[in-house]
Amino acid sequence: QVRLQESGGGSVQAGGSLRLSCAASGFTFHDTDMGWFRQSPGSEREGIAVLGRFGTTEYSDSVKGRFAISKDNEKNILYLEMNSLKPEDTGMYHCSADPSNWFEAKTDSVPYFESWGQGTQVTVSS
C-alpha cells in the first residue's frame, strides 16, 4: 500500500525558508517519479517540482530558482527546499508519486500522479 506523509510546513515571513519532507513507503522509491504540487483555496492544483526516477528535475516558472527538489533513497524521503518565499507561495503542499510510471516526469503531470499525501500547510506573510 502506497503511503506518503508530508511534514515541515509552517508560517514564515516573506523572504524566509522552509524545507518540506515526504516520507514514503509501499513502492519502489528509487525507481519512481515523484513530485510536489500545491493548492490554495479557489485555485487549481499546481505542479511545481518533479524528480524523475532517472534523476531529471523540472520546476514551474513560479518557483524556478527558489525551490529545489531532492530525495534520500536510503531513507525513502522526498524533500522540497523552499527559499525566498513569497506570499503567493501560500497553500497546501502535497507530495505525489507515480509508482506505475504512467506519466511523463513533467511538472504538469504531478497533480495527476496516482498517489499523493494529505499535505502540509505553508503560509507566507508579507
Side-chain angles (χ1 to χ4, degrees):
Q1 180 181 358
V2 174
R3 185 172 183 182
L4 301 169
Q5 180 65 58
E6 303 91 340
S7 61
S11 297
V12 296
Q13 291 195 330
S17 299
L18 285 172
R19 187 175 80 159
L20 306 184
S21 298
C22 173
S25 62
F27 61 97
T28 308
F29 183 81
H30 73 273
D31 195 35
T32 298
D33 296 339
M34 298 191 69
W36 293 90
F37 67 89
R38 65 187 180 188
Q39 188 170 25
S40 55
S43 299
E44 295 185 357
R45 294 179 174 185
E46 177 191 12
I48 57 173
V50 66
L51 177 55
R53 63 192 187 279
F54 301 122
T56 57
T57 59
E58 183 181 276
Y59 299 92
S60 64
D61 288 342
S62 60
V63 307
K64 193 176 298 181
R66 301 186 296 122
F67 291 12
I69 188 171
S70 63
K71 65 178 181 175
D72 185 328
N73 286 331
E74 295 294 324
K75 297 180 179 179
N76 283 11
I77 299 177
L78 181 74
Y79 299 102
L80 185 68
E81 187 76 36
M82 306 188 297
N83 299 307
S84 303
L85 283 161
K86 305 175 182 179
E88 51 264 44
D89 293 319
T90 294
M92 185 70 76
Y93 283 68
H94 302 262
C95 70
S96 62
D98 183 27
S100 300
N101 295 324
W102 285 342
F103 295 93
E104 193 175 4
K106 298 289 186 182
T107 52
D108 288 347
S109 301
V110 170
Y112 304 100
F113 284 177
E114 59 184 288
S115 301
W116 61 89
Q118 293 295 312
T120 185
Q121 177 68 34
V122 172
T123 303
V124 184
S125 58
S126 57

